[in-house]
Amino acid sequence: MIVIAGSASPKLAARVAKQLGCPLAKPELKRFPDSETYVRVGAEFGGEHAVVVQSTRPPVNDNLIELFLLLDTAKDLGARRVTAVVPYFGYARQDKRFKPGEAVSVRTMCKLIERAGADDLLTVDIHEDWIMKNFATPAYNLSAAPLIGRYLAKLKLHDPVVLAADQGALQRAKGVAVEFGADHDHLEKTRLTSTKVLTKPKRLDIAGRDVVIIDDIISTGATMVEAARVVKRYRARRIYAACIHPVLAGASLKKVLAAGVQRVIATDTIEHRTSVVSVAPILAGAIRGSPWAA
Ligand code: R5P
């Protein structure tokens, strides 16, 4: 087996290769003057299983094109099987037609990844689990919630509560909380006017307690900022923000911290300075345990 490091996930790819005890290929990547992507994998695969690790984080389109090139080239260079590891799956939030005539972008991305040569795919906490049904080939969505929970356990939080940023993320909050015996709840959204939304904890009293707000993605930070403000209003002791995918666009990290959050804790599905939890163990475990691994 050979792990191929996409340029969006160099550290994660190295961690996965280490866990699997297999070589790591670091492709050469250049831009042509007209912005096209040049990739040279520089290895032959002679019947090996190639594992391409490439997050489709921003710049999403460039990282997707690189992923397609790596998958296709690995096959072309003789890989027996090619696994796409896409720890953060870009375009996943455009998973339906919200307005008539819109592209269902994530469905198109699934088709393109398969067409480029992926025989199977692993991702982590994709926005909605049912997106995986778009793949005809084996495709698995792994949860990083237990890894975040185990990290939080080491922080020795005071009477901790894990709060999902919305009801849809309650299972994720539970998956985090159960790892260190914390309570969990979710924030409730109430539409006050056509534009204004107030969130509050659904059932738990959080006064004087350390609160971890969990979401799948922090992108602009708007959701987390609003959640932190509410949690502060309900007199939480310390506030932590945790997410699987730290997209953290622009000045969002600053905004989240300014809203009263002590620390942002994230995974390396997107490599960022907040990425203190690695998803390498669950990826390596899934690859090792898969029926096609050799
Ligand atoms: C929404 O459905 C997601 O779970 C996140 O809450 C959202 O993507 C976060 O985005 P932002 O940081 O821009 O509020």
Short mmCIF file of all heavy atoms in Angstrom, two decimals, residues 66-106:
data_model
loop_
_atom_site.label_atom_id
_atom_site.label_comp_id
_atom_site.label_asym_id
_atom_site.label_seq_id
_atom_site.Cartn_x
_atom_site.Cartn_y
_atom_site.Cartn_z
N GLU A 66 -6.90 18.85 -8.23
CA GLU A 66 -5.71 18.08 -7.85
C GLU A 66 -6.11 16.65 -7.44
O GLU A 66 -5.45 15.68 -7.82
CB GLU A 66 -4.98 18.78 -6.71
CG GLU A 66 -3.67 18.10 -6.34
CD GLU A 66 -3.00 18.72 -5.12
OE1 GLU A 66 -3.19 19.93 -4.88
OE2 GLU A 66 -2.30 17.98 -4.41
N LEU A 67 -7.21 16.54 -6.70
CA LEU A 67 -7.69 15.20 -6.31
C LEU A 67 -8.00 14.35 -7.54
O LEU A 67 -7.57 13.19 -7.64
CB LEU A 67 -8.94 15.35 -5.43
CG LEU A 67 -9.68 14.07 -5.07
CD1 LEU A 67 -8.83 13.15 -4.19
CD2 LEU A 67 -11.00 14.38 -4.35
N PHE A 68 -8.71 14.93 -8.51
CA PHE A 68 -9.05 14.18 -9.73
C PHE A 68 -7.77 13.72 -10.43
O PHE A 68 -7.66 12.57 -10.87
CB PHE A 68 -9.87 15.02 -10.71
CG PHE A 68 -11.16 15.56 -10.15
CD1 PHE A 68 -11.69 16.78 -10.60
CD2 PHE A 68 -11.88 14.86 -9.18
CE1 PHE A 68 -12.88 17.28 -10.09
CE2 PHE A 68 -13.07 15.37 -8.67
CZ PHE A 68 -13.56 16.59 -9.12
N LEU A 69 -6.80 14.62 -10.54
CA LEU A 69 -5.55 14.29 -11.23
C LEU A 69 -4.80 13.17 -10.49
O LEU A 69 -4.27 12.25 -11.12
CB LEU A 69 -4.66 15.54 -11.36
CG LEU A 69 -5.20 16.66 -12.26
CD1 LEU A 69 -4.32 17.90 -12.16
CD2 LEU A 69 -5.28 16.20 -13.71
N LEU A 70 -4.78 13.25 -9.17
CA LEU A 70 -4.05 12.23 -8.40
C LEU A 70 -4.71 10.85 -8.51
O LEU A 70 -4.04 9.84 -8.68
CB LEU A 70 -3.95 12.64 -6.92
CG LEU A 70 -3.06 13.85 -6.62
CD1 LEU A 70 -3.16 14.25 -5.15
CD2 LEU A 70 -1.60 13.55 -6.98
N LEU A 71 -6.03 10.82 -8.45
CA LEU A 71 -6.76 9.54 -8.54
C LEU A 71 -6.51 8.90 -9.91
O LEU A 71 -6.16 7.72 -10.02
CB LEU A 71 -8.27 9.76 -8.34
CG LEU A 71 -8.72 10.22 -6.95
CD1 LEU A 71 -10.19 10.64 -6.98
CD2 LEU A 71 -8.51 9.12 -5.90
N ASP A 72 -6.69 9.70 -10.94
CA ASP A 72 -6.57 9.18 -12.30
C ASP A 72 -5.13 8.73 -12.58
O ASP A 72 -4.90 7.68 -13.20
CB ASP A 72 -7.01 10.26 -13.29
CG ASP A 72 -7.24 9.70 -14.68
OD1 ASP A 72 -7.61 8.51 -14.79
OD2 ASP A 72 -7.03 10.43 -15.66
N THR A 73 -4.16 9.53 -12.11
CA THR A 73 -2.76 9.21 -12.37
C THR A 73 -2.33 7.95 -11.62
O THR A 73 -1.59 7.11 -12.16
CB THR A 73 -1.86 10.41 -11.98
OG1 THR A 73 -2.38 11.57 -12.64
CG2 THR A 73 -0.43 10.22 -12.41
N ALA A 74 -2.81 7.79 -10.40
CA ALA A 74 -2.45 6.59 -9.62
C ALA A 74 -2.93 5.33 -10.37
O ALA A 74 -2.20 4.34 -10.48
CB ALA A 74 -3.06 6.66 -8.22
N LYS A 75 -4.14 5.39 -10.88
CA LYS A 75 -4.69 4.26 -11.65
C LYS A 75 -3.84 4.00 -12.89
O LYS A 75 -3.44 2.88 -13.20
CB LYS A 75 -6.10 4.60 -12.10
CG LYS A 75 -7.28 3.92 -11.45
CD LYS A 75 -7.35 2.45 -11.50
CE LYS A 75 -8.30 1.76 -10.57
NZ LYS A 75 -9.66 2.24 -10.60
N ASP A 76 -3.55 5.11 -13.58
CA ASP A 76 -2.81 5.04 -14.83
C ASP A 76 -1.40 4.49 -14.62
O ASP A 76 -0.84 3.86 -15.52
CB ASP A 76 -2.74 6.49 -15.36
CG ASP A 76 -2.59 6.54 -16.84
OD1 ASP A 76 -3.10 5.61 -17.49
OD2 ASP A 76 -1.94 7.48 -17.33
N LEU A 77 -0.84 4.73 -13.43
CA LEU A 77 0.51 4.25 -13.13
C LEU A 77 0.50 2.85 -12.53
O LEU A 77 1.48 2.43 -11.92
CB LEU A 77 1.23 5.24 -12.19
CG LEU A 77 1.53 6.62 -12.81
CD1 LEU A 77 2.12 7.56 -11.77
CD2 LEU A 77 2.49 6.49 -13.99
N GLY A 78 -0.62 2.17 -12.62
CA GLY A 78 -0.64 0.76 -12.28
C GLY A 78 -1.22 0.38 -10.93
O GLY A 78 -1.11 -0.79 -10.52
N ALA A 79 -1.83 1.33 -10.22
CA ALA A 79 -2.41 0.95 -8.91
C ALA A 79 -3.52 -0.08 -9.13
O ALA A 79 -4.34 0.05 -10.04
CB ALA A 79 -2.96 2.18 -8.21
N ARG A 80 -3.50 -1.07 -8.26
CA ARG A 80 -4.52 -2.13 -8.34
C ARG A 80 -5.87 -1.58 -7.89
O ARG A 80 -6.92 -1.89 -8.43
CB ARG A 80 -4.06 -3.27 -7.41
CG ARG A 80 -5.07 -4.33 -7.07
CD ARG A 80 -4.44 -5.37 -6.15
NE ARG A 80 -3.95 -4.80 -4.90
CZ ARG A 80 -4.68 -4.57 -3.82
NH1 ARG A 80 -5.97 -4.81 -3.83
NH2 ARG A 80 -4.13 -4.07 -2.73
N ARG A 81 -5.81 -0.77 -6.87
CA ARG A 81 -7.01 -0.18 -6.29
C ARG A 81 -6.67 1.23 -5.83
O ARG A 81 -5.56 1.47 -5.35
CB ARG A 81 -7.45 -1.05 -5.10
CG ARG A 81 -8.70 -0.61 -4.47
CD ARG A 81 -9.37 -1.60 -3.56
NE ARG A 81 -10.75 -1.15 -3.41
CZ ARG A 81 -11.78 -1.70 -4.01
NH1 ARG A 81 -11.63 -2.79 -4.74
NH2 ARG A 81 -12.99 -1.20 -3.85
N VAL A 82 -7.60 2.14 -5.96
CA VAL A 82 -7.34 3.52 -5.52
C VAL A 82 -8.44 3.93 -4.53
O VAL A 82 -9.63 3.90 -4.85
CB VAL A 82 -7.32 4.50 -6.72
CG1 VAL A 82 -7.04 5.92 -6.22
CG2 VAL A 82 -6.26 4.09 -7.73
N THR A 83 -7.99 4.29 -3.34
CA THR A 83 -8.93 4.78 -2.32
C THR A 83 -8.80 6.29 -2.23
O THR A 83 -7.69 6.81 -2.08
CB THR A 83 -8.60 4.15 -0.95
OG1 THR A 83 -8.81 2.73 -1.04
CG2 THR A 83 -9.47 4.71 0.16
N ALA A 84 -9.92 6.98 -2.31
CA ALA A 84 -9.91 8.44 -2.11
C ALA A 84 -10.24 8.73 -0.66
O ALA A 84 -11.29 8.32 -0.16
CB ALA A 84 -10.96 9.09 -3.01
N VAL A 85 -9.32 9.40 0.03
CA VAL A 85 -9.60 9.86 1.39
C VAL A 85 -9.80 11.37 1.31
O VAL A 85 -8.87 12.12 1.04
CB VAL A 85 -8.45 9.50 2.36
CG1 VAL A 85 -8.71 10.12 3.73
CG2 VAL A 85 -8.29 7.99 2.48
N VAL A 86 -11.05 11.77 1.48
CA VAL A 86 -11.40 13.19 1.36
C VAL A 86 -11.92 13.61 2.74
O VAL A 86 -13.13 13.57 3.00
CB VAL A 86 -12.46 13.42 0.26
CG1 VAL A 86 -12.71 14.91 0.05
CG2 VAL A 86 -12.03 12.76 -1.05
N PRO A 87 -11.01 13.99 3.64
CA PRO A 87 -11.42 14.19 5.04
C PRO A 87 -12.43 15.31 5.22
O PRO A 87 -13.35 15.19 6.02
CB PRO A 87 -10.11 14.48 5.77
CG PRO A 87 -9.11 14.82 4.72
CD PRO A 87 -9.55 14.14 3.47
N TYR A 88 -12.25 16.39 4.47
CA TYR A 88 -13.28 17.44 4.42
C TYR A 88 -13.82 17.45 3.00
O TYR A 88 -13.05 17.60 2.04
CB TYR A 88 -12.70 18.82 4.78
CG TYR A 88 -13.69 19.94 4.49
CD1 TYR A 88 -14.84 20.07 5.25
CD2 TYR A 88 -13.48 20.83 3.45
CE1 TYR A 88 -15.77 21.07 4.97
CE2 TYR A 88 -14.40 21.84 3.16
CZ TYR A 88 -15.54 21.95 3.93
OH TYR A 88 -16.47 22.93 3.65
N PHE A 89 -15.11 17.29 2.87
CA PHE A 89 -15.74 17.15 1.56
C PHE A 89 -16.38 18.47 1.15
O PHE A 89 -17.48 18.82 1.61
CB PHE A 89 -16.78 16.03 1.62
CG PHE A 89 -17.06 15.38 0.29
CD1 PHE A 89 -16.59 14.12 0.01
CD2 PHE A 89 -17.80 16.05 -0.68
CE1 PHE A 89 -16.84 13.52 -1.23
CE2 PHE A 89 -18.06 15.46 -1.92
CZ PHE A 89 -17.57 14.20 -2.19
N GLY A 90 -15.68 19.21 0.30
CA GLY A 90 -16.21 20.50 -0.16
C GLY A 90 -17.50 20.33 -0.95
O GLY A 90 -17.78 19.25 -1.45
N TYR A 91 -18.27 21.34 -1.01
CA TYR A 91 -19.57 21.39 -1.71
C TYR A 91 -20.67 20.59 -1.01
O TYR A 91 -21.78 20.50 -1.52
CB TYR A 91 -19.45 20.90 -3.17
CG TYR A 91 -18.81 21.90 -4.11
CD1 TYR A 91 -17.49 21.74 -4.52
CD2 TYR A 91 -19.54 22.99 -4.58
CE1 TYR A 91 -16.89 22.65 -5.38
CE2 TYR A 91 -18.95 23.90 -5.44
CZ TYR A 91 -17.63 23.74 -5.84
OH TYR A 91 -17.05 24.64 -6.68
N ALA A 92 -20.34 20.01 0.16
CA ALA A 92 -21.34 19.13 0.80
C ALA A 92 -22.57 19.90 1.29
O ALA A 92 -23.63 19.31 1.49
CB ALA A 92 -20.70 18.37 1.95
N ARG A 93 -22.42 21.20 1.50
CA ARG A 93 -23.58 21.94 2.00
C ARG A 93 -24.59 22.27 0.89
O ARG A 93 -25.72 22.61 1.17
CB ARG A 93 -23.13 23.21 2.74
CG ARG A 93 -22.59 22.86 4.13
CD ARG A 93 -22.05 24.07 4.86
NE ARG A 93 -20.82 24.56 4.26
CZ ARG A 93 -20.16 25.65 4.64
NH1 ARG A 93 -20.65 26.37 5.64
NH2 ARG A 93 -19.05 26.01 4.07
N GLN A 94 -24.16 22.14 -0.36
CA GLN A 94 -25.12 22.31 -1.48
C GLN A 94 -25.59 20.90 -1.84
O GLN A 94 -25.23 20.34 -2.88
CB GLN A 94 -24.45 23.04 -2.65
CG GLN A 94 -25.39 23.35 -3.82
CD GLN A 94 -26.48 24.38 -3.49
OE1 GLN A 94 -26.32 25.22 -2.64
NE2 GLN A 94 -27.62 24.28 -4.17
N ASP A 95 -26.36 20.31 -0.93
CA ASP A 95 -26.73 18.90 -1.07
C ASP A 95 -28.15 18.72 -1.58
O ASP A 95 -28.66 17.61 -1.67
CB ASP A 95 -26.54 18.16 0.27
CG ASP A 95 -27.32 18.80 1.41
OD1 ASP A 95 -27.99 19.82 1.18
OD2 ASP A 95 -27.26 18.27 2.52
N LYS A 96 -28.81 19.83 -1.84
CA LYS A 96 -30.15 19.75 -2.44
C LYS A 96 -30.40 21.03 -3.24
O LYS A 96 -29.61 21.97 -3.18
CB LYS A 96 -31.23 19.54 -1.38
CG LYS A 96 -31.24 20.54 -0.23
CD LYS A 96 -32.44 20.35 0.64
CE LYS A 96 -32.24 19.47 1.85
NZ LYS A 96 -31.46 20.00 2.96
N ARG A 97 -31.51 21.00 -3.95
CA ARG A 97 -31.90 22.17 -4.73
C ARG A 97 -32.72 23.07 -3.82
O ARG A 97 -33.89 22.78 -3.57
CB ARG A 97 -32.69 21.69 -5.95
CG ARG A 97 -32.87 22.69 -7.02
CD ARG A 97 -33.27 22.03 -8.34
NE ARG A 97 -32.13 21.46 -9.03
CZ ARG A 97 -32.07 20.23 -9.55
NH1 ARG A 97 -33.11 19.42 -9.45
NH2 ARG A 97 -30.97 19.81 -10.15
N PHE A 98 -32.08 24.08 -3.26
CA PHE A 98 -32.79 24.96 -2.33
C PHE A 98 -33.74 25.89 -3.11
O PHE A 98 -34.81 26.23 -2.63
CB PHE A 98 -31.80 25.79 -1.51
CG PHE A 98 -30.91 24.93 -0.62
CD1 PHE A 98 -29.65 24.52 -1.07
CD2 PHE A 98 -31.33 24.51 0.63
CE1 PHE A 98 -28.84 23.72 -0.28
CE2 PHE A 98 -30.53 23.71 1.43
CZ PHE A 98 -29.28 23.31 0.97
N LYS A 99 -33.29 26.30 -4.30
CA LYS A 99 -34.15 27.14 -5.17
C LYS A 99 -34.25 26.44 -6.51
O LYS A 99 -33.28 25.77 -6.92
CB LYS A 99 -33.49 28.51 -5.40
CG LYS A 99 -33.47 29.40 -4.19
CD LYS A 99 -32.89 30.76 -4.59
CE LYS A 99 -32.48 31.55 -3.36
NZ LYS A 99 -31.41 32.50 -3.67
N PRO A 100 -35.37 26.57 -7.23
CA PRO A 100 -35.50 25.89 -8.52
C PRO A 100 -34.33 26.21 -9.44
O PRO A 100 -33.87 27.36 -9.49
CB PRO A 100 -36.81 26.45 -9.10
CG PRO A 100 -37.52 27.08 -7.95
CD PRO A 100 -36.51 27.43 -6.91
N GLY A 101 -33.84 25.18 -10.10
CA GLY A 101 -32.79 25.39 -11.10
C GLY A 101 -31.37 25.34 -10.57
O GLY A 101 -30.41 25.41 -11.35
N GLU A 102 -31.21 25.22 -9.26
CA GLU A 102 -29.84 25.19 -8.71
C GLU A 102 -29.16 23.86 -8.99
O GLU A 102 -29.81 22.82 -9.10
CB GLU A 102 -29.88 25.35 -7.18
CG GLU A 102 -30.08 26.76 -6.72
CD GLU A 102 -30.06 26.87 -5.20
OE1 GLU A 102 -30.11 25.83 -4.50
OE2 GLU A 102 -30.00 27.99 -4.70
N ALA A 103 -27.82 23.91 -9.05
CA ALA A 103 -27.04 22.68 -9.15
C ALA A 103 -27.05 21.99 -7.79
O ALA A 103 -26.94 22.65 -6.76
CB ALA A 103 -25.61 23.01 -9.54
N VAL A 104 -27.19 20.65 -7.80
CA VAL A 104 -26.99 19.89 -6.56
C VAL A 104 -25.49 19.54 -6.56
O VAL A 104 -25.08 18.45 -6.95
CB VAL A 104 -27.90 18.64 -6.53
CG1 VAL A 104 -27.76 17.91 -5.21
CG2 VAL A 104 -29.36 19.04 -6.75
N SER A 105 -24.70 20.49 -6.13
CA SER A 105 -23.24 20.44 -6.38
C SER A 105 -22.58 19.20 -5.81
O SER A 105 -21.69 18.63 -6.44
CB SER A 105 -22.59 21.68 -5.78
OG SER A 105 -23.29 22.83 -6.19
N VAL A 106 -22.98 18.79 -4.61
CA VAL A 106 -22.29 17.66 -4.00
C VAL A 106 -22.46 16.38 -4.82
O VAL A 106 -21.56 15.56 -4.92
CB VAL A 106 -22.70 17.46 -2.52
CG1 VAL A 106 -24.09 16.86 -2.38
CG2 VAL A 106 -21.68 16.61 -1.79
#
